[in-house]
């Protein structure tokens, strides 16, 4: 049973959450959309600057390449130069005024400029044709921005990923979700949902997002009918403060009764150059917990960290712990990195992330150095 009252999975609590979400959605219906984080169409955080064309289509992207040195227990460390997280992106987006509403389009692809394969480059990675493609679709969607909010269809980053995601090393070898510092996968803090219906709106300090899978279970989509994700975020009640809750639900699990990942999150800007953040996840979907590259049991993940800015440098320091349901599978994660901003568009990041396991599972340590340019 969860230690958080709101995460209890009995029917009464589910009804309360549904009523609360419906009430917030009703209030948001009187407002306009605040696009953010990928689930609202073209406002994906990976966008940097964009080149404008005469047709109104904007071209944007990001190039990344990184060096990693990864060791597990007593095995020899492995060196690599790659972008297996797919941080490099190319995308297009547009917004067309239709009078009472606007049409918004967004498509974004990921690729690896180091080895040419957009995905894991292990010896078994190319067992299916889609694993060996040079460029893979990250998100692609079309939708309408109205006075009631944004509603769209396609593929989106889920609100479970975009709300309360404070890791500046996302999609790199140092990423917390690759070491158990947060959840990962489609229903975790790496969630990109395919064949999905998305709604997103905001009113004052309250922002809501809801997604529902629309594909049949036998399709290639990574989510199915009745899978859903939602998030509620509150910002600017006081300067520098945000907090919220997100859930991702997989209906196919537990004999089609479904299982969920739940996340409470918050951040506060203590000083102009210092911010703190916190997430508490109850993970029921075991495939969303990373452990030395393999799957581990479900449980609770608590993550705390700071962002400290000093000149052109932004230091991230994180401590996380996994209290897993299975015996002797608890672990701790420590990560420290420095992002050196060489210009408005280019940064150099270096750091280390280490996961230490309680039981017989091998501990993992990754050193990393990465160069990013946004355009």
């Amino acid at each position: 049973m969860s230690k958080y009252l709101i995460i209890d999975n009995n029917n009464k609590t589910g009804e309360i959450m549904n009523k609360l979400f419906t009430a917030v959605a009703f209030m948001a219906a009187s407002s306009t959309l605040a696009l953010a984080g990928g689930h609202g169409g073209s406002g994906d955080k990976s966008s940097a600057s964009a080149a404008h064309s005469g047709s109104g289509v904007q071209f944007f992207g990001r190039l990344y390449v990184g060096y990693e040195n990864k060791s597990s227990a007593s095995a020899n460390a492995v060196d690599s130069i790659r972008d297996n997280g797919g941080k490099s992106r190319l995308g297009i987006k547009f917004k067309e005024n239709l009078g009472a509403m606007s049409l918004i389009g967004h498509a974004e692809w990921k690729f690896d400029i180091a080895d040419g394969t957009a995905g894991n480059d292990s010896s078994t990675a190319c067992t299916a044709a889609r694993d060996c493609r040079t460029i893979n679709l990250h998100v692609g969607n079309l939708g309408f921005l109205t006075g009631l909010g944004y509603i769209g269809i396609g593929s989106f980053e889920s609100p479970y990923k975009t709300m309360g995601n404070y890791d500046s090393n996302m999609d790199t070898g140092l990423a917390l979700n690759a070491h158990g510092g947060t959840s990962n996968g489609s229903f975790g803090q790496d969630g990109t949902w395919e064949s999905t219906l998305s709604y997103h709106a905001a009113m004052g300090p309250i922002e809501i997002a809801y997604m529902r899978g629309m594909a049949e279970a036998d399709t290639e989509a990574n989510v199915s009918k009745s899978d859903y994700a939602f998030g509620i975020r509150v910002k600017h009640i006081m300067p520098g403060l945000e907090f919220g809750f997100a859930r991702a639900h997989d209906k196919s699990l537990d004999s089609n009764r479904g299982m969920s990942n739940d996340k409470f999150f918050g951040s506060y800007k203590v000083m102009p150059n210092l911010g703190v953040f916190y997430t508490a996840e109850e993970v029921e979907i075991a495939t969303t917990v990373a452990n030395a590259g393999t799957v581990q049991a479900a449980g609770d993940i608590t993550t705390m960290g700071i962002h400290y800015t000093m000149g052109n440098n932004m230091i991230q320091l994180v401590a996380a712990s996994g209290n897993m349901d299975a015996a002797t599978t608890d672990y701790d994660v420590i990560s420290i990195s420095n992002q050196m901003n060489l210009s408005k568009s280019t940064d150099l990041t270096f750091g280390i992330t280490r996961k230490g396991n309680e039981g017989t599972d091998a501990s993992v340590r990754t050193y990393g150095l990465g160069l990013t340019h946004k355009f």
Side-chain angles (χ1 to χ4, degrees), residues 198-223:
S198 176
Y199 175 76
H200 186 199
M203 184 190 70
I206 301 175
E207 178 187 353
I208 63 171
Y210 178 81
M211 285 186 184
R212 193 169 189 89
M214 302 298 291
E216 298 292 346
D218 59 352
T219 66
E220 291 290 340
N222 60 356
V223 294

Side-chain angles (χ1 to χ4, degrees), residues 144-208:
F144 294 102
L145 171 59
T146 74
L148 303 180
Y150 170 89
I151 183 166
I153 55 175
S155 56
F156 301 83
E157 291 186 330
S158 80
Y160 194 96
K161 174 184 179 179
T162 59
M163 291 188 175
N165 180 9
Y166 303 113
D167 185 12
S168 63
N169 297 315
M170 190 72 179
D171 299 325
T172 73
L174 299 174
L176 293 173
N177 65 1
H179 296 80
T182 67
S183 60
N184 65 358
S186 299
F187 293 89
Q189 199 158 293
D190 193 24
T192 301
W193 283 35
E194 302 165 354
S195 300
T196 296
L197 175 69
S198 176
Y199 175 76
H200 186 199
M203 184 190 70
I206 301 175
E207 178 187 353
I208 63 171

Side-chain angles (χ1 to χ4, degrees), residues 221-263:
N222 60 356
V223 294
S224 304
K225 281 185 176 180
S226 301
D227 294 341
Y228 68 85
F230 71 83
I232 303 174
R233 174 162 51 191
V234 181
K235 299 190 296 184
H236 308 310
I237 285 185
M238 59 180 292
L241 175 67
E242 79 162 29
F243 58 90
F245 172 80
R247 167 175 286 186
H249 181 81
D250 187 344
K251 180 64 174 177
S252 67
L253 301 179
D254 194 20
S255 301
N256 289 322
R257 288 186 290 266
M259 302 179 76
S260 299
N261 290 344
D262 293 328
K263 176 172 67 173

Side-chain angles (χ1 to χ4, degrees), residues 257-322:
R257 288 186 290 266
M259 302 179 76
S260 299
N261 290 344
D262 293 328
K263 176 172 67 173
F264 289 95
F265 60 88
S267 67
Y268 180 60
K269 196 167 186 178
V270 181
M271 297 185 295
N273 63 337
L274 176 64
V276 297
F277 59 89
Y278 171 85
T279 61
E281 297 184 76
E282 184 182 31
V283 179
E284 290 185 338
I285 305 172
T287 54
T288 57
V289 179
N291 175 40
T294 62
V295 173
Q296 195 175 32
D300 299 325
I301 305 175
T302 303
T303 308
M304 297 177 286
I306 65 170
H307 287 145
Y308 179 70
T309 303
M310 181 174 57
N312 293 329
N313 298 277
M314 194 280 288
I315 299 170
Q316 176 178 277
L317 176 62
V318 180
S321 61

Side-chain angles (χ1 to χ4, degrees), residues 33 130 173 194 248:
L33 171 73
R130 66 182 299 171
E194 302 165 354

Side-chain angles (χ1 to χ4, degrees), residues 110-131:
K110 56 185 179 181
F111 56 95
D112 186 340
I113 65 173
D115 62 21
T117 301
N120 191 326
D121 56 3
S122 69
S123 59
T124 59
C126 288
T127 55
R130 66 182 299 171
D131 297 328

